[in-house]
Amino acid sequence: MNEKLTGGPAEKKESAPRVRFAPSPTGHLHIGTARTALFNWLFARRYGGRFILRVEDTDRARSTKAFEDSIIESLQWLGLNWDEGPDIGGEFGPYRQSERLKIYKEYAEQLLKDGVAYYCYCSQRELENERKRALDEGRMSMYGGRCRNLTVAERRLHELADNPKVIRFNVQKHNSSKIKYNDLIKGEISISPEVVGDFIIMKADSMPTYNFAAVVDDLTMSITHVLRGDDHITNSVRQIMLYNALRKPAPTYGHFSMILGSDKAKLSKRHGATSITEYRDRGYLPEAIINYLSLLSWSAGTEKEIFSLKELAEEFSIERVSKSPAIFDQGKLDWFNGRWLRELPAAVLAERITPFIAVAGYNVEEFDMEAIAMAIQSNLTTLAEAPAYARIFLEEVKYTPEVSEELDTDKAKEVIREIWERLEAAEEIDIDSAKTILKETVAVMKTKGIKGRDIYHPLRLALTGETSGPELFFVINALGRRRAVACLRRLLDGN
């Protein structure tokens, strides 16, 4: 093999693993693909290795820069940073396949020269007829090798006729026995070359196919471990064949089981949101998604369920990844999201709910968003719920006839007047002062024989118009002194 090929494999400078995440920019980052990125990231960080982002954009019809940007933004939002990639570069670049075409061409030409690849001139009609014959005869459909042994004269006739051609890999050349490898997750896997037809490595438009480009990229980028979904198991066999033909050692492979929906079918749109952008826009936290995805097919071996990304990087081990498919449970993700929301400092939660409240049509600059965040924090499952829970602080209180009737009693008015006077006299309001005012109001009301629900219920109705909601000290703090006083004054004045 010519070691002077463009982008040839560099000498490894360290024994630490080099793993890659290589999405195709043909859509947004799927939740299952995000788990693959996460497990690769954790593997690299756990063992002091390198995490490489590579964009596999050779599908020219479907790949777009917009989808590439979306994938990158989703990874950044999840907190999965990379050490080399198309946006930051690195010594093994370029990191977009569309920018590596010269490298693929040179490797393909070398395989042709070595006799382990050949030009195929078969038309689509001929291939389709061959496929139909195989199916009619009950045989496995694969390329029969018609162009494998063309004579020089036969090839010349095709060239003179300018017939479209692809380059196929000669599977039988060096693969007479079963291809075996030890999968990090699945264990030993073996497949007979007889069930693998001579597959295409370079298409008629001179673009590489997935398997060939992946091998050339992994080889020239010194990738040590390829960790991906188990829908790639047959691809790994083809790739090992290519490594054998190139006389280079293959990386270590590991294949994660699929993520399935509750009906045990492959996770899809009918199960709900499937992309990271959808979950972000629906108000899920990256911390919650990372935490939940980490537990789909992996376990720390303890009862612990809540993990930060840093903790996962310290505890992750490929040995604890399950062979069995993972079932995606939307309810469990909601539980994780609610748990992480309740852990956020009020100032951080305020920042995260603000865009959702603004989109709902409220002028967020008019309100104390941190106080509102504190009031609704325990109710939230997603950030998108914030406008509904915060409405009582964002709009003028409206009373139904039933509520107005409950508030139009001497007892209710006495309670309302007592707390109004205390709020009116206060210089400012915060959580502590609101608690103090409530405590003092309760103490005075008790001396007048008014207790419990007869105090808190009319106060809640007066301040929110609702029969339930956050603790009253949160309500007073979120409304603020000025608005709370004005609201109570209107009631006392009969407006």
Side-chain angles (χ1 to χ4, degrees):
M1 185 71 186
N2 182 1
E3 293 300 336
K4 294 185 179 181
L5 288 172
T6 303
E11 291 296 323
K12 295 178 183 177
K13 298 179 180 179
E14 53 187 19
S15 59
R18 287 177 58 84
V19 298
R20 47 76 163 182
F21 175 60
S24 297
T26 56
H28 298 294
L29 183 62
H30 186 274
I31 196 81
T33 314
R35 185 194 62 169
T36 296
L38 171 62
F39 282 5
N40 273 275
W41 189 92
L42 292 174
F43 186 82
R45 297 296 177 253
R46 174 69 174 80
Y47 299 107
R50 304 276 286 179
F51 177 66
I52 293 92
L53 175 63
R54 186 173 75 220
V55 178
E56 298 189 341
D57 60 347
T58 53
D59 185 341
R60 294 190 293 187
R62 298 170 59 221
S63 297
T64 70
K65 184 62 165 59
F67 282 135
E68 178 185 322
D69 292 342
S70 172
I71 290 169
I72 287 176
E73 288 170 6
S74 293
L75 290 171
Q76 291 171 335
W77 182 74
L78 289 171
L80 304 179
N81 61 311
W82 45 95
D83 304 298
E84 302 167 32
D87 57 334
I88 60 175
E91 62 178 311
F92 297 95
Y95 294 91
R96 288 187 187 89
Q97 288 187 335
S98 59
E99 299 171 3
R100 298 172 60 83
L101 301 184
K102 182 180 178 182
I103 303 174
Y104 306 133
K105 181 181 178 182
E106 292 186 7
Y107 272 83
E109 288 175 348
Q110 187 63 46
L111 290 176
L112 287 168
K113 180 181 177 182
D114 291 346
V116 290
Y118 59 90
Y119 287 114
C120 173
Y121 304 90
C122 294
S123 67
Q124 287 299 316
R125 178 178 294 179
E126 290 171 323
L127 293 173
E128 180 60 23
N129 288 337
E130 182 177 325
R131 188 187 73 83
K132 287 182 178 178
R133 282 196 302 273
L135 292 176
D136 290 343
E137 296 170 7
R139 295 184 287 109
M140 184 177 295
S141 176
M142 67 176 67
Y143 181 65
R146 178 184 304 177
C147 294
R148 186 187 301 141
N149 299 308
L150 290 179
T151 65
V152 173
E154 288 171 328
R155 285 199 300 270
R156 186 174 300 154
L157 286 174
H158 282 292
E159 294 293 335
L160 288 172
D162 199 24
N163 291 333
K165 61 186 177 183
V166 300
I167 300 177
R168 288 186 182 273
F169 178 66
N170 189 340
V171 170
Q172 302 300 324
K173 187 75 174 182
H174 292 301
N175 299 287
S176 57
S177 59
K178 284 189 175 182
I179 300 296
K180 296 182 181 180
Y181 72 94
N182 187 46
D183 190 285
L184 278 178
I185 298 165
K186 303 292 186 180
E188 184 176 287
I189 291 177
S190 65
I191 295 181
S192 172
E194 295 176 358
V195 302
V196 182
D198 289 358
F199 54 91
I200 298 172
I201 61 173
M202 294 292 284
K203 293 179 280 189
D205 61 359
S206 298
M207 296 295 283
T209 58
Y210 167 75
N211 282 309
F212 184 58
V215 165
V216 173
D217 290 342
D218 291 342
L219 176 60
T220 57
M221 293 180 184
S222 295
I223 300 300
T224 62
H225 296 74
V226 174
L227 309 175
R228 55 191 176 184
D230 59 11
D231 52 332
H232 284 284
I233 285 179
T234 56
N235 286 331
S236 294
V237 172
R238 289 174 170 83
Q239 290 172 20
I240 289 171
M241 291 178 177
L242 286 167
Y243 275 104
N244 292 341
L246 292 167
R247 296 190 287 278
K248 295 293 181 182
T252 301
Y253 289 96
H255 293 90
F256 310 119
S257 295
M258 301 289 284
I259 298 178
L260 305 178
S262 56
D263 57 357
K264 306 297 177 66
K266 185 177 179 180
L267 194 65
S268 66
K269 284 286 186 183
R270 73 173 183 275
H271 297 108
T274 57
S275 74
I276 295 300
T277 54
E278 286 180 283
Y279 281 103
R280 180 196 64 198
D281 294 345
R282 293 185 183 191
Y284 288 82
L285 300 181
E287 298 93 335
I289 292 177
I290 285 290
N291 194 164
Y292 181 59
L293 287 181
S294 72
L295 299 176
L296 291 180
S297 296
W298 176 80
S299 166
T302 66
E303 296 298 315
K304 182 177 178 178
E305 287 189 296
I306 304 301
F307 292 92
S308 67
L309 190 55
K310 182 177 182 295
E311 290 172 326
L312 288 169
E314 293 170 351
E315 298 198 33
F316 182 79
S317 62
I318 203 74
E319 292 81 10
R320 289 193 176 275
V321 175
S322 171
K323 298 179 183 180
S324 303
I327 305 299
F328 190 86
D329 183 342
Q330 184 63 51
K332 189 67 173 179
L333 174 57
D334 290 345
W335 180 84
F336 273 106
N337 205 60
R339 178 71 180 269
W340 276 97
L341 278 168
R342 290 187 288 278
E343 294 295 321
L344 291 179
V348 175
L349 179 59
E351 290 178 2
R352 299 197 184 187
I353 65 172
T354 293
F356 290 88
I357 291 176
V359 166
Y362 298 103
N363 184 358
V364 294
E365 295 181 1
E366 295 181 359
F367 306 99
D368 184 342
M369 296 306 298
E370 186 169 337
I372 291 175
M374 293 171 64
I376 67 175
Q377 186 164 21
S378 63
N379 299 106
L380 294 177
T381 300
T382 70
L383 297 171
E385 296 171 347
Y389 283 111
R391 179 187 55 80
I392 58 174
F393 309 119
L394 304 170
E395 300 176 359
E396 184 176 326
V397 182
K398 295 181 176 63
Y399 304 108
T400 64
E402 293 78 13
V403 168
S404 296
E405 185 177 346
E406 285 194 66
L407 293 174
D408 191 23
T409 65
D410 292 341
K411 187 181 293 186
K413 287 180 178 178
E414 192 164 358
V415 173
I416 292 169
R417 182 173 297 280
E418 180 66 30
I419 199 165
W420 170 76
E421 289 177 350
R422 294 182 180 280
L423 287 170
E424 176 76 10
E427 293 184 2
E428 60 181 34
I429 289 293
D430 57 19
I431 290 293
D432 290 336
S433 60
K435 287 181 177 179
T436 298
I437 287 172
L438 281 168
K439 183 177 180 180
E440 291 172 349
T441 299
V442 168
V444 171
M445 290 299 102
K446 283 184 177 180
T447 65
K448 298 180 180 182
I450 303 174
K451 300 179 181 179
R453 186 178 186 277
D454 290 337
I455 300 173
Y456 295 110
H457 183 62
L459 285 181
R460 183 176 299 283
L461 290 178
L463 292 169
T464 70
E466 306 288 342
T467 58
S468 62
E471 295 277 5
L472 280 174
F473 56 84
F474 280 133
V475 171
I476 294 170
N477 184 52
L479 286 172
R481 175 188 170 280
R482 180 183 59 81
R483 294 179 65 211
V485 165
C487 174
L488 298 174
R489 182 71 261 177
R490 285 197 310 273
L491 282 171
L492 293 173
D493 291 343
N495 296 325

